[in-house]
Amino acid sequence: AQTVTQSQPEMSVQEAETVTLSCTYDTSESDYYLFWYKQPPSRQMILVIRQEAYKQQNATENRFSVNFQKAAKSFSLKISDSQLGDAAMYFCAYIPTGTASKLTFGTGTRLQVTL
Amino acid sequence: GAVVSQHPSWVICKSGTSVKIECRSLDFQATTMFWYRQFPKQSLMLMATSNEGSKATYEQGVEKDKFLINHASLTLSTLTVTSAHPEDSSFYICSASTSGVPPDTQYFGPGTRLTVL
């Protein structure tokens, strides 16, 4: 069974600083996608970034970037120049390719941004 | 693009009544829609997967007769909680995905908070 582990229940970062959220996963599949979703207090799940396993290049989306280590099954999220609006729950998620695939979520990391 | 709406955003009902929650993809055709349940301070738990025109596939432990799912069109799925009880109180979230590009990316609705008295 696929599992996604987020070992940091809570993280804190000062405004304008950089923070890295960790995520590891376990799978026997070779082709899959990884995601980071953000859930602010409004509870709307927002897609932050998406990585395709067959691509070696790390995905980047403005201030958000990932460090994808396929052999180590690691998928960390780096947030640069942190802003107050980045405060939220962050969920790492995995899905194998193919129809009828289901997202597997990690337990989440709550990010606090301080002044 | 890729906007998913849910209605209502919150609902309070009496024990024993049924509640219907709608999930719509506003600007794309959703071949597959998913229903999740989220307890406070926890991750999302998948309840069921539905494809347009087909019966929903329920996860283990989810009562299909209690949580009725209908996916009548490529833009609308509904979740009906039948004979609701206080333990059904939760935050319900739907998501939608398309077979187009990019594949396998789910876009989430804003969620519905259900409170059963």
Side-chain angles (χ1 to χ4, degrees), chain A residues 63-82:
Chain A
R63 297 182 296 108
F64 299 87
S65 62
V66 298
N67 183 3
F68 174 48
Q69 302 288 330
K70 191 172 183 178
K73 295 180 182 174
S74 170
F75 182 61
S76 60
L77 174 70
K78 185 171 83 171
I79 306 174
S80 304
D81 187 25
S82 296

Side-chain angles (χ1 to χ4, degrees), chain A residues 41-60:
Chain A
S42 67
R43 302 190 78 172
Q44 167 77 64
M45 293 286 284
I46 301 166
L47 176 65
V48 174
I49 203 164
R50 177 177 180 271
Q51 174 79 44
E52 296 153 18
Y54 64 86
K55 287 188 177 179
Q56 292 188 339
Q57 187 174 5
N58 289 322
T60 299

Side-chain angles (χ1 to χ4, degrees), chain B residues 43-65:
Chain B
S43 189
L44 279 69
M45 181 188 76
L46 180 65
M47 298 174 65
T49 302
S50 73
N51 292 291
E52 185 262 341
S54 303
K55 286 186 178 180
T57 302
Y58 290 82
E59 294 300 297
Q60 192 172 11
V62 177
E63 299 176 60
K64 60 179 67 176
D65 293 332

Side-chain angles (χ1 to χ4, degrees), chain A residues 33 35 37 39 42-45 47 50 91 95-98 101-103 105-107 110, chain B residues 34 36 38-39 42-44 46 49 59 91 93 102-110 113:
Chain A
Y33 297 92
F35 305 87
Y37 282 95
Q39 189 179 40
S42 67
R43 302 190 78 172
Q44 167 77 64
M45 293 286 284
L47 176 65
R50 177 177 180 271
F91 292 99
I95 190 169
T97 56
S101 296
K102 298 179 288 191
L103 263 178
F105 285 95
T107 51
R110 181 169 300 280
Chain B
F34 304 83
Y36 295 85
Q38 187 179 31
F39 293 103
Q42 293 190 25
S43 189
L44 279 69
L46 180 65
T49 302
E59 294 300 297
F91 193 68
I93 306 175
D104 299 305
T105 296
Q106 293 185 23
Y107 299 95
F108 287 83
R113 181 177 299 284

